[in-house]
Structures are given as C-alpha cells and as structure tokens.
Amino acid sequence: MKLMKQLLAMATIAFATAAQAAPATEAPDVLVKRISQDVIDTAKNDKAIQAGDIKRVTELVESKVLPYVDFQRMTALAAGRFWRDATPEQQKQLSAEFRTLLIYTYSGALSQIKNETVEFKPMRADPGDTEVEVRSQVNVARGEPVPLNYRVAKTPSGWKIYDINVLGAWLVETYKSSFASEISKGGIDGLIKTLQAKNKALASRPAVKAK
C-alpha cells in the first residue's frame, strides 16, 4: 500500500508540474516525460518533504497540483450516480474533503521517494483526441517495474488529470466502492462527515520520516 501511495504521489505531482511549466500545445506524453525527472529530484532533495513536513507538501500541492487536476470530475466519478443527487453545496464539500484526503496521502508518500525512475510508453492517440491515456512504468531498485498510467483530458484551460492507474487499479474505482458504502449508510452528508473525520485524524498524525 505504501508503494501505491508513493506512485500516486509521483504521478500526480509530475503531471501537474508539467502542465504548469509546458506550453498548452505540448502533447501530454511529451509534457509528462520532460518534467517528471525534475519533480522526482525535487522530492528526493527537499529536506522538508523528506522529513514528512505536511505544511511543505501542502504548499507544493496547492501551488502545482490543484490548478491542473480536475478534482470535481474525479470526485464525481468516484461518487458515481450519487453525484447527481447531491446539492451544489454538497458537491463542493465532497470535492474539498476528497482533495484534502489525497493531499494527506501525498504527504506520507513523497517522503518515501528514493531511487525510482520513470519510463514512458508510446502514446496511442490521434492528434485530435481530447482524452488520452499516458502510459508509463516506474523502475524500482528491487522487483519488477510497476505500470503507472494517467487519464488526462483537454479542457479550455489546458490538459488536466482526472484518474491514475497503479498496478492495474484506477484511483477512481478504488474509492468508488467505499464512497458507495458510506453513502448507502448515511447519504452524501454521511460520506462528507466520514472524510472529515479521516482528514482530522490524518492531520493529527506525526510526520513520517524517510528511512
């Protein structure tokens, strides 16, 4: 589970930073490939991130990730059919809590990045496609390479990531079942309260330093 969190962090930070730095016309696979190594190096060399400093990680995510990840679409997909039944305010709260949950996930994962490298696969897409899948694999010091893919969509404000696949499991699908379970017990408000409680617990946990 730690490896999956680590890879999710690497994937999202890499793509988001690339989206900010690259021209809007740059192909998403070229964009990710060009920036990824710089991002990984930053995570390796930033002492605050390596120490598990949640404030430092939050600043990094707020400035580089949030503008380039479609959290509303990601949350809507995770909530499934229940999203349409939620009020605009509930949708806003749910997206905010889901975003916070992912930020806390990244905070622990980023401090664990050590000697990983990323290798990208040729992208199978037509020039006019507005939704594509960028495929890659993470090479680790020990063990087999880990498949890592991204679903990204072209929006009026540029390419945005809305799902990540690690080891054959899409992030949205991973959360979809747990979201549905919470909603069946307490509705959308029940899910929001569950995420709020989880985020509160994560906020109070001590930082985990890289070994």
Side-chain angles (χ1 to χ4, degrees), residues 20-198:
Q20 183 179 40
T25 56
E26 189 171 15
D29 58 332
V30 176
L31 175 153
V32 177
K33 184 176 181 179
R34 181 171 63 82
I35 298 298
S36 291
Q37 192 58 55
D38 285 343
V39 174
I40 292 173
D41 289 343
T42 299
K44 290 178 182 177
N45 298 320
D46 190 306
K47 293 182 179 179
I49 290 177
Q50 289 293 309
D53 186 336
I54 183 61
K55 182 179 179 181
R56 170 61 182 147
V57 175
T58 300
E59 290 173 352
L60 181 64
V61 174
E62 290 279 356
S63 63
K64 297 185 181 297
V65 176
L66 300 193
Y68 306 104
V69 176
D70 192 343
F71 278 108
Q72 179 161 319
R73 181 174 182 180
M74 187 180 289
T75 308
L77 290 172
R81 61 184 178 84
F82 301 105
W83 180 259
R84 296 190 298 272
D85 299 328
T87 66
E89 181 59 29
Q90 287 175 321
Q91 292 178 349
K92 181 180 178 181
Q93 288 183 315
L94 185 57
S95 294
E97 294 301 330
F98 190 34
R99 181 187 66 183
T100 301
L101 176 62
L102 294 179
I103 289 174
Y104 282 126
T105 298
Y106 303 151
S107 69
L110 284 174
S111 65
Q112 302 301 316
I113 294 177
K114 295 183 181 296
N115 300 312
E116 294 78 12
T117 61
V118 182
E119 177 182 339
F120 289 88
K121 308 296 183 181
M123 189 172 68
R124 301 170 182 171
D126 295 325
D129 287 346
T130 56
E131 293 195 11
V132 300
E133 183 174 326
V134 178
R135 300 178 302 127
S136 70
Q137 69 179 34
V138 177
N139 301 314
V140 295
R142 297 179 180 178
E144 295 295 319
V146 179
L148 176 61
N149 303 330
Y150 319 75
R151 282 177 176 160
V152 297
K154 193 172 186 179
T155 72
S157 57
W159 290 97
K160 291 194 176 184
I161 189 169
Y162 67 92
D163 207 355
I164 304 168
N165 184 306
V166 181
L167 297 172
W170 288 101
L171 175 66
V172 165
E173 288 299 320
T174 300
Y175 280 101
K176 194 170 186 177
S177 59
S178 61
F179 276 22
S181 177
E182 292 298 330
I183 292 172
S184 67
K185 292 186 291 184
I188 293 293
D189 286 336
L191 173 58
I192 292 171
K193 289 180 180 178
T194 296
L195 292 178
Q196 288 174 334
K198 184 174 294 187

Side-chain angles (χ1 to χ4, degrees), residues 104 198-207:
Y104 282 126
K198 184 174 294 187
N199 288 332
K200 184 177 181 180
L202 290 171
S204 62
R205 117 190 129 172

